[in-house]
Amino acid sequence: MSPNVRPQKRILLRSGKSPYDVFSVEQALHQDVIATNSGNLIFQDAAHKILETPDTEVISNGGRTEVAAAARINAEYDAFVVPLANAFRPSFEVALQRLTRLISKLRIPVVVLGVGAQTGVGYDAARLKRIEPTVRAFCSAVLDRSASIGVRGEFTETYLRDMGFKDVEVIGCPSLFMYGRELDVRKQLPALTAESRIAINGSHSAVKKQGLGRIISRTHEHYPNLRFIGQNLSDARQLHWRDMSDPNASVTAIPTHPDHPMYREDKVRVYVDPITWIDELRPFDFSFGSRIHGNIAALLAGTPATVLCGDSRTLELCRYFEIPHQRLDKVAKDPAAADPARLYEQADFSGLTGNHAERFERFTRFLDKNGLQNTFTHGDGGVAFEERMRSLAFPPGVRPWNDADLSSLTTRFGWLHTQVGELSRDNERLRRELARSKRVKDAVPAPAASVYRRARRVVGRALHSGK
């Protein structure tokens, strides 16, 4: 190697896809590149941009936690960076255990960006007691390979410190550092009117159990230029395919459901790429709802936003970044209290923007401590990243399938036809494997027959599931 050529550091990033990967809507939904929630891609893309420097290449792991790949990861990468959201919750325990098994086999540094614990807005950690051994094992494995662990906010910091972990730092979420120390959010109107462009967001649980459905209905009634932005994979599949197979389809009060009036009025979107999501929020006057990254997307677009907090993960992040917020359980009692005009008037963005540079410095110090460079200190500030992103043609937001025009039908059925062809080829390959395994079985001693029968059952199930 020439003495003038510096070796490049390679970082493996836990993310659903590289920001540079362009998928059609059909591919994105089929492969679930959003890992069930498109909000994941916002902080994953931000982490990719931040960590990419002239000396550092960032590679997405495609969202796969392959324990068997540990040796290859050790050989090919210099660090494993893990951006997380609300990973300390019972429903994520199995995935967290698998991630811990992988980390335990790694010899390279492992750095966690912005992990959070999830409970109610009262910060009661009692419901997390059951998963404490899993959380403890995960944090121990990470801290054996890093200087500190980065958490989302005050609640998670206290939660881990109460377990005895000292090397815990509140760094928020990488998403709000997508543009570095700059964050420009300001009100463009003195007040909202009935004609203002409003974006609203929310989860199925918030609609079904926390009263957000009433707030959506009232806002839809008073603001004709309202748009609902969903985030779940099931939301996108309901819009694009009218696929009602997911349990979320039982929540008819959410606008991504085909029976909702906003669906029929084409006032619903889901985005499979953050760049289009952020771009389409720029002309809006205000955003609000219970989705933290739905509103962070608006803030990154420069659009004022207010979060309706329904759990600790949103509340602690709003408190840390000083994002305007209200408790959902309080405003849901009187939907008028969540009127966009009222929330807009009450929203103060001076703390969010005025203290952003200080939080950014804290974040980059965390990266420095853990041996990671960042594009704003060690690179071009993300210029090359943005130029490359602008050179790519990402699909528009997923819209409700209300039409039956030939172009719409051709696109969808063309993709389905391709999938059927691929499935047929896969089935033929499996049948050949099955036939070959039978020939092998006939040539081996009788004790191996039981192994053959088990293998045949596995292949048979695979064939059956592909029909």
Side-chain angles (χ1 to χ4, degrees):
M1 179 181 292
S2 167
N4 296 323
V5 178
R6 291 180 293 178
Q8 188 175 62
K9 186 173 186 177
R10 302 182 81 234
I11 289 177
L12 182 65
L13 182 72
R14 183 182 184 271
S15 61
K17 72 180 186 72
S18 165
Y20 308 129
D21 289 339
V22 179
F23 291 88
S24 68
V25 168
E26 292 83 7
Q27 288 174 316
L29 304 190
H30 179 64
Q31 297 182 33
D32 187 16
V33 298
I34 65 175
T36 76
N37 185 336
S38 57
N40 293 322
L41 290 183
I42 293 185
F43 63 79
Q44 291 168 2
D45 278 19
H48 189 118
K49 176 185 176 181
I50 291 165
L51 297 171
E52 192 171 76
T53 73
D55 299 326
T56 307
E57 180 185 9
V58 181
I59 299 95
S60 169
N61 75 342
R64 297 180 295 274
T65 304
E66 299 178 88
V67 179
R72 177 181 59 80
I73 294 172
N74 284 326
E76 296 181 8
Y77 298 96
D78 299 287
F80 181 37
V81 176
V82 188
L84 290 171
N86 53 330
F88 300 157
R89 69 184 195 274
S91 61
F92 195 73
E93 184 177 19
V94 172
L96 194 64
Q97 290 170 338
R98 184 173 180 82
L99 188 55
T100 302
R101 289 198 297 274
L102 171 60
I103 292 171
S104 297
K105 292 178 177 292
L106 298 181
R107 300 190 305 272
I108 59 176
V110 177
V111 184
V112 169
L113 303 181
V115 66
Q118 181 175 335
T119 186
V121 290
Y123 284 2
D124 182 4
R127 69 182 293 267
L128 304 178
K129 190 68 177 177
R130 180 178 65 78
I131 67 168
E132 186 173 306
T134 296
V135 174
R136 188 182 297 278
F138 172 79
C139 292
S140 296
V142 170
L143 289 171
D144 283 345
R145 294 159 179 82
S146 61
S148 58
I149 187 167
V151 300
R152 289 165 73 97
E154 57 188 352
F155 170 66
T156 306
E157 178 186 33
T158 301
Y159 172 65
L160 294 185
R161 289 191 183 279
D162 286 348
M163 279 191 219
F165 294 106
K166 304 301 181 185
D167 297 316
V168 180
E169 297 184 57
V170 177
I171 60 171
C173 176
S175 55
L176 271 168
F177 300 123
M178 184 175 281
Y179 304 127
R181 67 178 65 253
E182 304 299 326
L183 185 63
D184 185 13
V185 181
R186 65 186 72 181
K187 298 178 182 179
Q188 301 295 333
L189 300 172
L192 297 185
T193 68
E195 299 305 312
S196 296
R197 295 195 66 183
I198 311 295
I200 189 169
N201 51 72
S203 66
H204 292 80
S205 61
V207 168
K208 184 177 181 179
K209 301 176 182 178
Q210 296 179 289
L212 185 64
R214 294 190 299 274
I215 294 172
I216 293 172
S217 295
R218 185 186 185 280
T219 309
H220 176 234
E221 180 181 348
H222 290 86
Y223 294 87
N225 295 317
L226 180 68
R227 177 181 293 179
F228 181 86
I229 299 178
Q231 292 182 204
N232 280 36
L233 179 66
S234 61
D235 289 327
R237 286 176 171 168
Q238 285 182 188
L239 296 189
H240 192 71
W241 294 113
R242 285 186 175 245
D243 178 357
M244 309 300 290
S245 61
D246 192 276
N248 284 337
S250 65
V251 186
T252 58
I254 197 165
T256 51
H257 194 284
D259 290 345
H260 198 282
M262 289 184 68
Y263 189 110
R264 296 191 295 272
E265 295 165 10
D266 193 31
K267 293 180 177 179
V268 190
R269 299 288 186 276
V270 175
Y271 300 94
V272 296
D273 296 284
I275 188 170
T276 51
W277 190 354
I278 294 168
D279 280 350
E280 292 203 13
L281 281 171
R282 295 188 197 281
F284 279 76
D285 300 305
F286 185 59
S287 170
F288 76 112
S290 67
R291 290 288 199 182
I292 185 64
H293 285 100
N295 292 300
I296 285 177
L299 296 173
L300 292 172
T303 300
T306 293
V307 181
L308 305 182
C309 298
D311 53 35
S312 63
R313 64 188 175 119
T314 52
L315 183 58
E316 69 173 348
L317 206 53
C318 286
R319 285 176 171 171
Y320 178 67
F321 280 110
E322 299 179 83
I323 300 171
H325 61 280
Q326 303 279 348
R327 280 181 50 162
L328 179 55
D329 59 346
K330 293 184 177 180
V331 297
K333 295 176 181 177
D334 176 17
D339 185 280
R342 184 171 176 177
L343 295 175
Y344 183 87
E345 179 184 11
Q346 294 172 340
D348 179 2
F349 298 95
S350 59
L352 171 70
T353 58
N355 297 322
H356 183 75
E358 179 184 343
R359 284 185 285 263
F360 175 72
E361 293 298 332
R362 188 178 302 126
F363 178 70
T364 55
R365 285 197 301 270
F366 170 83
L367 296 180
D368 290 342
K369 181 188 295 187
N370 284 283
L372 299 175
Q373 294 186 346
N374 73 87
T375 187
F376 301 101
T377 305
H378 309 97
D380 63 1
V383 172
F385 176 92
E386 294 294 343
E387 288 179 350
R388 183 173 176 184
M389 292 294 286
R390 294 298 170 187
S391 72
L392 301 171
F394 293 95
V398 186
R399 304 175 66 159
W401 191 8
N402 287 318
D403 52 46
D405 67 278
L406 184 60
S407 175
S408 173
L409 292 172
T410 299
T411 299
R412 287 171 169 83
F413 290 130
W415 184 84
L416 288 173
H417 179 74
T418 300
Q419 291 302 113
V420 169
E422 291 181 0
L423 185 59
S424 297
R425 288 190 291 273
D426 288 344
N427 280 350
E428 182 57 32
R429 179 182 57 79
L430 285 170
R431 287 190 177 93
R432 288 197 300 270
E433 291 293 326
L434 189 60
R436 185 159 53 249
S437 68
K438 184 178 187 303
R439 289 195 297 272
V440 170
K441 179 257 183 181
D442 292 340
V444 298
S450 62
V451 176
Y452 162 76
R453 285 194 295 271
R454 286 197 295 272
R456 185 182 177 89
R457 285 197 295 271
V458 170
V459 176
R461 283 196 296 270
L463 285 170
H464 180 74
S465 65
K467 290 181 180 178

